[in-house]
mmCIF file of all heavy atoms in Angstrom:
data_model
loop_
_atom_site.group_PDB
_atom_site.id
_atom_site.type_symbol
_atom_site.label_atom_id
_atom_site.label_comp_id
_atom_site.label_asym_id
_atom_site.label_seq_id
_atom_site.Cartn_x
_atom_site.Cartn_y
_atom_site.Cartn_z
ATOM 1 N N ARG A 168 -0.611 -2.204 7.967
ATOM 2 C CA ARG A 168 -0.150 -1.457 9.134
ATOM 3 C C ARG A 168 1.259 -0.960 8.881
ATOM 4 O O ARG A 168 2.111 -1.705 8.414
ATOM 5 C CB ARG A 168 -0.170 -2.348 10.371
ATOM 6 C CG ARG A 168 -1.567 -2.596 10.854
ATOM 7 C CD ARG A 168 -1.538 -3.204 12.232
ATOM 8 N NE ARG A 168 -2.827 -3.840 12.463
ATOM 9 C CZ ARG A 168 -2.976 -5.048 12.957
ATOM 10 N NH1 ARG A 168 -1.933 -5.752 13.300
ATOM 11 N NH2 ARG A 168 -4.167 -5.540 13.137
ATOM 12 N N ALA A 169 1.483 0.289 9.197
ATOM 13 C CA ALA A 169 2.797 0.902 8.975
ATOM 14 C C ALA A 169 3.663 0.755 10.205
ATOM 15 O O ALA A 169 3.172 0.730 11.333
ATOM 16 C CB ALA A 169 2.626 2.378 8.646
ATOM 17 N N SER A 170 4.961 0.644 9.985
ATOM 18 C CA SER A 170 5.888 0.684 11.103
ATOM 19 C C SER A 170 6.222 2.145 11.356
ATOM 20 O O SER A 170 5.893 3.011 10.560
ATOM 21 C CB SER A 170 7.147 -0.096 10.752
ATOM 22 O OG SER A 170 7.774 0.503 9.637
ATOM 23 N N GLY A 171 6.894 2.424 12.448
ATOM 24 C CA GLY A 171 7.306 3.793 12.704
ATOM 25 C C GLY A 171 6.357 4.536 13.613
ATOM 26 O O GLY A 171 5.584 3.947 14.350
ATOM 27 N N PRO A 172 6.391 5.884 13.577
ATOM 28 C CA PRO A 172 5.627 6.682 14.538
ATOM 29 C C PRO A 172 4.121 6.554 14.332
ATOM 30 O O PRO A 172 3.648 6.278 13.248
ATOM 31 C CB PRO A 172 6.092 8.112 14.276
ATOM 32 C CG PRO A 172 6.584 8.105 12.886
ATOM 33 C CD PRO A 172 7.135 6.729 12.648
ATOM 34 N N GLY A 173 3.389 6.758 15.401
ATOM 35 C CA GLY A 173 1.938 6.705 15.328
ATOM 36 C C GLY A 173 1.330 6.524 16.689
ATOM 37 O O GLY A 173 0.118 6.540 16.863
ATOM 38 N N GLY A 174 2.151 6.291 17.701
ATOM 39 C CA GLY A 174 1.651 6.152 19.069
ATOM 40 C C GLY A 174 0.807 4.905 19.225
ATOM 41 O O GLY A 174 1.087 3.862 18.637
ATOM 42 N N GLN A 175 -0.253 4.991 20.014
ATOM 43 C CA GLN A 175 -1.119 3.843 20.273
ATOM 44 C C GLN A 175 -1.904 3.462 19.022
ATOM 45 O O GLN A 175 -2.396 2.358 18.907
ATOM 46 C CB GLN A 175 -2.072 4.171 21.418
ATOM 47 C CG GLN A 175 -1.345 4.394 22.720
ATOM 48 C CD GLN A 175 -2.261 4.890 23.806
ATOM 49 O OE1 GLN A 175 -3.414 5.231 23.542
ATOM 50 N NE2 GLN A 175 -1.771 4.932 25.028
ATOM 51 N N ASN A 176 -2.005 4.391 18.098
ATOM 52 C CA ASN A 176 -2.774 4.166 16.873
ATOM 53 C C ASN A 176 -2.087 3.177 15.933
ATOM 54 O O ASN A 176 -2.731 2.547 15.113
ATOM 55 C CB ASN A 176 -2.915 5.510 16.150
ATOM 56 C CG ASN A 176 -4.275 5.693 15.547
ATOM 57 O OD1 ASN A 176 -5.227 5.050 15.968
ATOM 58 N ND2 ASN A 176 -4.366 6.553 14.568
ATOM 59 N N VAL A 177 -0.755 3.042 16.054
ATOM 60 C CA VAL A 177 0.025 2.318 15.066
ATOM 61 C C VAL A 177 -0.375 0.844 14.968
ATOM 62 O O VAL A 177 -0.300 0.249 13.898
ATOM 63 C CB VAL A 177 1.544 2.484 15.343
ATOM 64 C CG1 VAL A 177 1.989 1.640 16.508
ATOM 65 C CG2 VAL A 177 2.351 2.157 14.119
ATOM 66 N N ASN A 178 -0.824 0.238 16.058
ATOM 67 C CA ASN A 178 -1.180 -1.182 16.036
ATOM 68 C C ASN A 178 -2.641 -1.427 15.690
ATOM 69 O O ASN A 178 -3.075 -2.570 15.641
ATOM 70 C CB ASN A 178 -0.864 -1.825 17.387
ATOM 71 C CG ASN A 178 0.616 -1.807 17.666
ATOM 72 O OD1 ASN A 178 1.411 -1.979 16.746
ATOM 73 N ND2 ASN A 178 0.986 -1.577 18.917
ATOM 74 N N LYS A 179 -3.414 -0.364 15.484
ATOM 75 C CA LYS A 179 -4.848 -0.526 15.230
ATOM 76 C C LYS A 179 -5.253 -0.129 13.825
ATOM 77 O O LYS A 179 -6.187 -0.699 13.281
ATOM 78 C CB LYS A 179 -5.655 0.330 16.216
ATOM 79 C CG LYS A 179 -5.504 -0.086 17.656
ATOM 80 C CD LYS A 179 -6.393 0.726 18.553
ATOM 81 C CE LYS A 179 -5.822 2.115 18.711
ATOM 82 N NZ LYS A 179 -6.539 2.917 19.682
ATOM 83 N N VAL A 180 -4.577 0.842 13.226
ATOM 84 C CA VAL A 180 -5.037 1.421 11.974
ATOM 85 C C VAL A 180 -4.052 1.092 10.845
ATOM 86 O O VAL A 180 -2.846 1.221 11.011
ATOM 87 C CB VAL A 180 -5.176 2.962 12.116
ATOM 88 C CG1 VAL A 180 -5.696 3.566 10.827
ATOM 89 C CG2 VAL A 180 -6.085 3.293 13.269
ATOM 90 N N ALA A 181 -4.586 0.671 9.716
ATOM 91 C CA ALA A 181 -3.756 0.363 8.545
ATOM 92 C C ALA A 181 -3.570 1.636 7.731
ATOM 93 O O ALA A 181 -4.390 1.966 6.880
ATOM 94 C CB ALA A 181 -4.419 -0.726 7.715
ATOM 95 N N THR A 182 -2.493 2.357 8.002
ATOM 96 C CA THR A 182 -2.279 3.636 7.322
ATOM 97 C C THR A 182 -1.336 3.526 6.138
ATOM 98 O O THR A 182 -1.342 4.384 5.269
ATOM 99 C CB THR A 182 -1.716 4.685 8.297
ATOM 100 O OG1 THR A 182 -0.539 4.161 8.893
ATOM 101 C CG2 THR A 182 -2.722 5.045 9.358
ATOM 102 N N ALA A 183 -0.503 2.504 6.098
ATOM 103 C CA ALA A 183 0.441 2.361 4.982
ATOM 104 C C ALA A 183 -0.299 1.874 3.744
ATOM 105 O O ALA A 183 -1.264 1.115 3.832
ATOM 106 C CB ALA A 183 1.553 1.390 5.342
ATOM 107 N N VAL A 184 0.152 2.318 2.583
ATOM 108 C CA VAL A 184 -0.492 1.957 1.317
ATOM 109 C C VAL A 184 0.488 1.169 0.463
ATOM 110 O O VAL A 184 1.661 1.525 0.357
ATOM 111 C CB VAL A 184 -0.929 3.231 0.548
ATOM 112 C CG1 VAL A 184 -1.521 2.870 -0.798
ATOM 113 C CG2 VAL A 184 -1.907 4.031 1.358
ATOM 114 N N GLN A 185 -0.032 0.101 -0.126
ATOM 115 C CA GLN A 185 0.744 -0.657 -1.099
ATOM 116 C C GLN A 185 0.002 -0.544 -2.425
ATOM 117 O O GLN A 185 -1.085 -1.068 -2.589
ATOM 118 C CB GLN A 185 0.859 -2.111 -0.650
ATOM 119 C CG GLN A 185 2.055 -2.800 -1.219
ATOM 120 C CD GLN A 185 2.242 -4.170 -0.616
ATOM 121 O OE1 GLN A 185 1.293 -4.949 -0.609
ATOM 122 N NE2 GLN A 185 3.424 -4.451 -0.116
ATOM 123 N N LEU A 186 0.610 0.179 -3.359
ATOM 124 C CA LEU A 186 -0.021 0.447 -4.650
ATOM 125 C C LEU A 186 0.551 -0.528 -5.675
ATOM 126 O O LEU A 186 1.758 -0.737 -5.732
ATOM 127 C CB LEU A 186 0.305 1.887 -5.031
ATOM 128 C CG LEU A 186 -0.403 2.461 -6.240
ATOM 129 C CD1 LEU A 186 -0.922 3.829 -5.872
ATOM 130 C CD2 LEU A 186 0.559 2.586 -7.371
ATOM 131 N N ARG A 187 -0.326 -1.138 -6.482
ATOM 132 C CA ARG A 187 0.112 -2.085 -7.502
ATOM 133 C C ARG A 187 -0.377 -1.606 -8.863
ATOM 134 O O ARG A 187 -1.526 -1.252 -9.016
ATOM 135 C CB ARG A 187 -0.447 -3.483 -7.226
ATOM 136 C CG ARG A 187 0.076 -4.071 -5.925
ATOM 137 C CD ARG A 187 -0.709 -5.269 -5.493
ATOM 138 N NE ARG A 187 -0.168 -6.591 -5.553
ATOM 139 C CZ ARG A 187 1.082 -6.980 -5.409
ATOM 140 N NH1 ARG A 187 2.008 -6.098 -5.255
ATOM 141 N NH2 ARG A 187 1.440 -8.231 -5.436
ATOM 142 N N PHE A 188 0.556 -1.616 -9.846
ATOM 143 C CA PHE A 188 0.233 -1.194 -11.208
ATOM 144 C C PHE A 188 0.842 -2.203 -12.165
ATOM 145 O O PHE A 188 2.055 -2.425 -12.154
ATOM 146 C CB PHE A 188 0.786 0.210 -11.477
ATOM 147 C CG PHE A 188 0.607 0.674 -12.897
ATOM 148 C CD1 PHE A 188 -0.640 0.972 -13.392
ATOM 149 C CD2 PHE A 188 1.703 0.798 -13.739
ATOM 150 C CE1 PHE A 188 -0.798 1.396 -14.698
ATOM 151 C CE2 PHE A 188 1.557 1.216 -15.045
ATOM 152 C CZ PHE A 188 0.294 1.514 -15.524
ATOM 153 N N ASP A 189 -0.009 -2.832 -12.976
ATOM 154 C CA ASP A 189 0.459 -3.852 -13.919
ATOM 155 C C ASP A 189 1.007 -3.163 -15.168
ATOM 156 O O ASP A 189 0.270 -2.853 -16.100
ATOM 157 C CB ASP A 189 -0.684 -4.802 -14.278
ATOM 158 C CG ASP A 189 -0.191 -6.050 -14.970
ATOM 159 O OD1 ASP A 189 0.994 -6.090 -15.362
ATOM 160 O OD2 ASP A 189 -0.975 -6.998 -15.120
ATOM 161 N N ALA A 190 2.308 -2.933 -15.173
ATOM 162 C CA ALA A 190 2.947 -2.209 -16.271
ATOM 163 C C ALA A 190 2.973 -3.036 -17.544
ATOM 164 O O ALA A 190 2.878 -2.495 -18.645
ATOM 165 C CB ALA A 190 4.364 -1.816 -15.881
ATOM 166 N N ARG A 191 3.104 -4.346 -17.414
ATOM 167 C CA ARG A 191 3.232 -5.204 -18.588
ATOM 168 C C ARG A 191 1.933 -5.297 -19.391
ATOM 169 O O ARG A 191 1.955 -5.415 -20.604
ATOM 170 C CB ARG A 191 3.668 -6.607 -18.145
ATOM 171 C CG ARG A 191 4.281 -7.402 -19.265
ATOM 172 C CD ARG A 191 4.891 -8.679 -18.779
ATOM 173 N NE ARG A 191 6.144 -8.405 -18.064
ATOM 174 C CZ ARG A 191 6.738 -9.257 -17.257
ATOM 175 N NH1 ARG A 191 6.204 -10.434 -17.042
ATOM 176 N NH2 ARG A 191 7.859 -8.931 -16.655
ATOM 177 N N ARG A 192 0.802 -5.220 -18.702
ATOM 178 C CA ARG A 192 -0.482 -5.391 -19.398
ATOM 179 C C ARG A 192 -1.302 -4.105 -19.500
ATOM 180 O O ARG A 192 -2.465 -4.146 -19.884
ATOM 181 C CB ARG A 192 -1.313 -6.455 -18.681
ATOM 182 C CG ARG A 192 -0.700 -7.828 -18.775
ATOM 183 C CD ARG A 192 -1.582 -8.874 -18.118
ATOM 184 N NE ARG A 192 -0.888 -10.136 -17.999
ATOM 185 C CZ ARG A 192 -0.096 -10.476 -16.980
ATOM 186 N NH1 ARG A 192 0.069 -9.640 -15.982
ATOM 187 N NH2 ARG A 192 0.505 -11.637 -16.952
ATOM 188 N N SER A 193 -0.721 -2.980 -19.171
ATOM 189 C CA SER A 193 -1.460 -1.717 -19.178
ATOM 190 C C SER A 193 -1.711 -1.246 -20.610
ATOM 191 O O SER A 193 -0.771 -1.049 -21.378
ATOM 192 C CB SER A 193 -0.678 -0.649 -18.422
ATOM 193 O OG SER A 193 -1.327 0.589 -18.558
ATOM 194 N N PRO A 194 -2.985 -1.021 -20.977
ATOM 195 C CA PRO A 194 -3.285 -0.517 -22.321
ATOM 196 C C PRO A 194 -2.972 0.979 -22.475
ATOM 197 O O PRO A 194 -2.948 1.491 -23.592
ATOM 198 C CB PRO A 194 -4.780 -0.780 -22.476
ATOM 199 C CG PRO A 194 -5.308 -0.797 -21.087
ATOM 200 C CD PRO A 194 -4.202 -1.302 -20.216
ATOM 201 N N SER A 195 -2.723 1.665 -21.364
ATOM 202 C CA SER A 195 -2.482 3.108 -21.406
ATOM 203 C C SER A 195 -1.071 3.473 -21.843
ATOM 204 O O SER A 195 -0.821 4.620 -22.199
ATOM 205 C CB SER A 195 -2.725 3.716 -20.025
ATOM 206 O OG SER A 195 -3.981 3.347 -19.534
ATOM 207 N N LEU A 196 -0.156 2.511 -21.777
ATOM 208 C CA LEU A 196 1.250 2.829 -22.042
ATOM 209 C C LEU A 196 1.685 2.358 -23.420
ATOM 210 O O LEU A 196 1.457 1.202 -23.786
ATOM 211 C CB LEU A 196 2.154 2.156 -21.001
ATOM 212 C CG LEU A 196 1.931 2.535 -19.550
ATOM 213 C CD1 LEU A 196 2.832 1.708 -18.653
ATOM 214 C CD2 LEU A 196 2.189 4.004 -19.339
#
């Protein structure tokens, strides 16, 4: 759930994204 604007929707919908990328073990880099 994101903080900030969103009206009544803000407490019901999970709009914020937390992206995780394992840089130490990535075979692409």
Side-chain angles (χ1 to χ4, degrees):
R168 287 193 199 133
S170 61
Q175 296 173 351
N176 220 22
V177 76
N178 296 323
K179 296 184 286 187
V180 182
T182 55
V184 177
Q185 204 172 52
L186 188 133
R187 296 166 109 32
F188 175 70
D189 194 349
R191 200 171 286 163
R192 294 183 190 87
S193 174
S195 308
L196 300 176

